[in-house]
Amino acid sequence: MPTTALTEIGTLVTNDPDLGVGPLGIRHDAAIVFDGARVVWVGGSADAPAADTGFALAGRAVLPGFVESHAHLVFAGDRAEEFAARMAGQPYAAGGIRTTIAATRAASDEQLAATVRRLLAESLRAGSTTVECKSGYGQTADDELRSVRIAGRYTDEVTLLAAHVPPPEYAGRTDDYVTMVCERMIPRCAPHARWIDVFCEQGAFDRDQAHAVLTAGIAHGLVPRVHGNQLHQGPGVLLAVELGAASVDHVTHVSTADIDALAGSGTVATLLPGADFCTRNSYPDARALLAAGVTVALGADCNPGTSYTTSLPFCIALAVREMHMTPDEAVWAATAGGAKALRRNDIGTLTPGHRADAIALDAPSHLHLAYRPGIALVSHVWRDGILAHSN
C-alpha cells in the first residue's frame, strides 16, 4: 500500500495520552505517517520516515477526522419558513417533522440519494470523516426500508428511526403505530441498519412505547440509541441506560438522577448544540455532565427542521461559548467522543493501527476552532489515508 507522511505539523492532536501531552495527546512540530488506510507512525517532524507521498503542512494543526454520530440526511423538502416563524417567536414542537414526512414520501429514490450525497460532501469539507445517518422521515414500511437502503449506500452507520413521531395517518393511534413499527418495519429494515433509535419525548413516544420499539430492535440484532430529554425532563435518559444504549442524544433537560445514571453506565451523552441554537431551546449543562464523569460526544444533528448544519466546527464553537466546555473538551467530544457514541475503537484518534482519518486546519492549533467561529478552517481532509478534500 502507498505510504503518506504529514510533516511540519504545528500542533498534532492524537487523542492518545500515550503519544503526547494531556487527554488530547498533543505533540508539537510533529509528523504522522499512513500506510494505506492505517496510521503506522507518530513522532517528531525531523524524525519522520520516508514515504511515497509527503505533505509539508507549514505549521498547520492536524486532528483526527470529526466523527458525526447524529445526522438525519435522508429527507426531502425545506422548512425555512418554519425556522423563520420560530425566530419570530413561535415555539418549537416535535410535530414539525410531519412536514418533512410528506415531502420525503413524495420524493424519488434518486432525489433522496442526491440530498444524502450533497450533505455528506458538505460534512466532508467541514472535516467529518465518519457520519451516522438515520431514517425517520418515511414512516411507512416501504419508505423506511428505502431510507435505510439509501443511507447504507454511503455509510455503515445506519440507524432505523421509524419511531420519530407518529405520522399523520396514525393521529390519536400512537400505540397502533408502535405495533406496526415493531411487527412490520423493524423485521424488514433491520438487515439494512446497525442501530435502532426512538424519539422519547412529549408529542412523540412515551416511555412504554419507546421501550417496545427499542426492545423489538434489539431482538432483531440492532443496537439501541435514544433521542431523549430534548424539550422536557422525561424518561429518555433512564430508558437509554436501562437498555444499555450506545448513546442518548440531546440531554438538554436532565435531573441529578439522570446524570448519576449516565455516569455509572456505558451510555454516551451526545450533545447537539446546533439544535438548541436553531430552536432557541436551553443548552445542556455540559459542565454538570463532565464533572460527574459522563462521556460526552458532540454532534451537528443535521436535519431540515431544527439544525440544518453539517458543521462540527460550528458546534465546537457553540459548545465552548454556550455550554462552557473547554476547547480541548469540545474537540475531544467531536472526535473520540463521537467514536464512543458509535462504539468504534478505530476512529476518533490518530494512533498506530487506527484508521488514517485526519484533518488539517488553516491555523496553528485546534484552539482556533472555537477562537475563530464561522471561519472555514479545514484545509485538508484525509479519509482512509487518501486526500479526500483540499481547499
Side-chain angles (χ1 to χ4, degrees), residues 39-108:
V39 176
V40 292
W41 185 90
V42 175
S45 187
D47 301 322
D52 299 316
T53 304
F55 293 88
L57 293 175
R60 289 181 173 88
V62 170
L63 296 74
F66 297 127
V67 179
E68 174 56 271
S69 62
H70 188 121
H72 305 252
L73 306 184
V74 187
F75 67 85
D78 180 275
R79 286 161 65 186
E81 295 291 340
E82 176 191 321
F83 172 79
R86 206 161 51 238
M87 294 303 101
Q90 181 176 310
Y92 169 64
I97 294 167
R98 294 183 180 94
T99 303
T100 304
I101 292 171
T104 302
R105 289 176 177 179
S108 68

Side-chain angles (χ1 to χ4, degrees), residues 156-321:
D156 294 331
E157 303 295 345
V158 177
T159 299
L160 176 62
L161 181 59
H164 205 172
V165 296
E169 63 269 28
Y170 281 87
R173 298 189 299 123
T174 302
D175 284 341
D176 291 342
Y177 181 67
V178 168
T179 298
M180 194 271 284
V181 168
C182 295
E183 295 182 356
R184 293 185 56 203
M185 286 189 183
I186 290 174
R188 290 184 67 189
C189 297
H192 306 281
R194 182 181 179 203
W195 307 98
I196 182 72
D197 200 346
V198 62
F199 191 11
C200 185
E201 180 62 75
Q202 293 180 30
F205 300 92
D206 65 24
R207 186 204 178 279
D208 290 344
Q209 293 160 348
H211 185 276
V213 169
L214 294 174
T215 53
I218 292 167
H220 283 81
L222 302 177
V223 183
R225 46 197 331 113
V226 176
H227 281 59
N229 300 59
Q230 178 184 8
L231 305 177
H232 309 89
Q233 186 176 324
V237 167
L238 295 181
L239 177 62
V241 171
E242 175 190 334
L243 294 180
S247 71
V248 56
D249 300 16
H250 288 293
V251 202
T252 308
H253 301 278
V254 292
S255 66
T256 300
D258 292 328
I259 295 173
D260 289 345
L262 282 168
S265 77
T267 299
V268 174
T270 300
L271 310 185
L272 306 170
D276 304 309
F277 176 87
C278 291
T279 58
R280 287 188 173 152
N281 197 9
S282 304
Y283 286 93
D285 188 348
R287 289 260 53 90
L289 293 165
L290 290 164
V294 176
T295 301
V296 170
L298 276 180
D301 188 17
C302 181
N303 75 83
T306 59
S307 185
Y308 203 4
T309 180
T310 53
S311 175
L312 272 168
F314 169 66
C315 293
I316 287 169
L318 283 180
V320 172
R321 172 64 180 83

Side-chain angles (χ1 to χ4, degrees), residues 55 57 60 124 127 358-362 377-382 387-391:
F55 293 88
L57 293 175
R60 289 181 173 88
L124 185 71
I359 60 175
L361 306 180
D362 271 330
L377 291 178
V378 176
S379 63
H380 301 74
V381 180
W382 290 268
L387 183 64
H389 168 71
S390 171
N391 64 9

